[in-house]
Amino acid sequence: MAENAVLEINGLEKSFGALKATDNVSLTLRPGEIHALIGPNGAGKSTLIHQICGTLKQDKGTIHLGGQDVSSLSVADRARLGLGRTFQISSLAGEFSALRNVMLAVQAQQGSSFHFFKPVLKDKSLTEAAMERLSRVGLADRAHVPAAELSHGEKRQLEIAIALALDVRAFLLDEPMAGMGPEGSKTLTRFLDGLRREAPILLVEHDMDAVYALADRISVLVYGRIIATGTVDQIRNDPTVRTAYLGDHA
Ligand SMILES: Nc1ncnc2c1ncn2[C@@H]1O[C@H](COP(=O)(O)OP(=O)(O)OP(=O)(O)O)[C@@H](O)[C@H]1O
């Protein structure tokens, strides 16, 4: 194990027929950091995220979370250990309030589904725990708004509140800026900047302004391989990266 890594990927490989979508990928996520994963379309970013959260089985290699080998665990078991892919907006129950959405997550985490005879909304400890998570993401005053009526950015915040309810240890954020306007992107960037205090973030993102503003380290994926890992300055000035991906965005 790399010293201190919350998440450690070692020698991961995945092929689709003759195509090597993940080619000997190793990377770490350290406490408190935002590690951005960038690369051209089709480079294998989503395929990598799928293997980390367990929706896709790797052919080779290992994934450790907090020192524990999770490589063969199910998606649900990995999520229970605090590894979850966030920003699957469809996982929000749109007709339920923001509060109710978080309460369901708190309840799932507490394994209290056996108490189904107790009306969820009347359970004070659940309400308090959910409100606490909503406050941490700045949504306390939107608690009673149905999820479907929240703005795009607020839905992202609600997803994070749900992840916090599930005691997340590492965030896997897949293109959080997608579909956001310029103002929304700025607000979400500020929000993610603070979020690293809760848990480190592996951030897949095409929006280079957000990546440069947020990343402690960047890994560049091209044709399934990591061609460089470094700080923002190192990556922006790396001639190989400029040729393979950044070009005018450096
Ligand atoms: N289930 C699959 N079966 C076959 N090929 C696949 C499958 N999933 C992904 N691929 C291929 O693997 C490669 C990597 O795709 P992936 O979606 O991981 O790239 P990406 O970096 O996430 O791209 P984007 O930035 O466009 O989201 C692509 O060539 C893609 O066509």
Side-chain angles (χ1 to χ4, degrees), residues 16 19 21 39-48 56 175 204 206 221:
F16 297 113
L19 176 80
N41 291 333
K45 303 178 295 294
S46 299
T47 303
L48 185 59
L56 195 62
E175 298 201 31
V204 173
H206 282 285
L221 198 67

Side-chain angles (χ1 to χ4, degrees), residues 14-61:
K14 179 75 194 174
S15 294
F16 297 113
L19 176 80
K20 230 176 194 180
T22 307
D23 190 357
N24 195 22
V25 167
S26 298
L27 62 83
T28 58
L29 189 59
R30 300 171 183 152
E33 83 166 338
I34 296 184
H35 190 153
L37 185 65
I38 62 171
N41 291 333
K45 303 178 295 294
S46 299
T47 303
L48 185 59
I49 294 287
H50 280 300
Q51 289 167 90
I52 299 173
C53 65
T55 42
L56 195 62
K57 174 106 183 76
Q58 73 276 17
D59 298 334
K60 235 172 130 177

Side-chain angles (χ1 to χ4, degrees), residues 179-190:
M180 307 282 289
E183 271 315 304
S185 293
K186 272 190 211 147
T187 309
L188 188 58
T189 300
R190 274 195 301 275

Side-chain angles (χ1 to χ4, degrees), residues 159-173:
E159 286 276 332
I160 296 289
I162 289 170
L164 292 175
L166 296 171
D167 290 335
V168 76
R169 291 167 76 183
F171 288 108
L172 305 177
L173 304 190

Side-chain angles (χ1 to χ4, degrees), residues 29-242:
L29 189 59
R30 300 171 183 152
E33 83 166 338
I34 296 184
H35 190 153
L37 185 65
I38 62 171
N41 291 333
K45 303 178 295 294
S46 299
T47 303
L48 185 59
I49 294 287
H50 280 300
Q51 289 167 90
I52 299 173
C53 65
T55 42
L56 195 62
K57 174 106 183 76
Q58 73 276 17
D59 298 334
K60 235 172 130 177
T62 56
I63 300 157
H64 284 81
L65 179 68
Q68 180 178 354
D69 189 346
V70 300
S71 318
S72 321
L73 297 186
S74 66
V75 177
D77 284 342
R78 290 181 207 203
R80 258 191 289 282
L81 290 170
L83 184 60
R85 187 171 168 201
T86 324
F87 296 159
Q88 290 169 305
I89 295 295
S90 57
S91 70
L92 297 179
E95 73 279 20
F96 288 167
S97 68
L99 180 65
R100 182 90 188 252
N101 271 277
V102 183
M103 285 170 80
L104 290 170
V106 173
Q107 194 183 33
Q109 183 64 11
Q110 292 174 348
S112 53
S113 49
F114 296 115
H115 301 151
F116 56 83
F117 48 84
K118 198 170 183 180
V120 173
L121 283 169
K122 295 215 170 106
D123 188 326
K124 202 157 166 255
S125 68
L126 273 186
T127 320
E128 281 170 5
M131 274 309 288
E132 193 268 335
R133 279 16 175 246
L134 284 174
S135 301
R136 268 153 75 186
V137 302
L139 277 185
D141 58 346
R142 306 285 280 159
H144 299 290
V145 176
E149 288 172 26
L150 295 174
S151 75
H152 205 54
E154 287 171 336
K155 282 181 184 146
R156 292 329 200 193
Q157 287 164 256
L158 179 55
E159 286 276 332
I160 296 289
I162 289 170
L164 292 175
L166 296 171
D167 290 335
V168 76
R169 291 167 76 183
F171 288 108
L172 305 177
L173 304 190
D174 202 353
E175 298 201 31
M177 301 297 164
M180 307 282 289
E183 271 315 304
S185 293
K186 272 190 211 147
T187 309
L188 188 58
T189 300
R190 274 195 301 275
F191 173 70
L192 295 180
D193 200 19
L195 186 66
R196 75 179 95 203
R197 284 194 296 272
E198 302 278 356
I201 302 171
L202 184 62
L203 174 71
V204 173
E205 187 52 65
H206 282 285
D207 178 337
M208 292 311 296
D209 288 339
V211 168
Y212 291 149
L214 289 169
D216 298 292
R217 289 190 298 157
I218 300 176
S219 286
V220 186
L221 198 67
V222 178
Y223 293 123
R225 276 184 164 269
I226 291 188
I227 61 163
T229 294
T231 61
V232 169
D233 282 347
Q234 285 166 342
I235 293 299
R236 289 180 90 155
N237 295 313
D238 185 317
T240 323
V241 174
R242 291 174 82 113

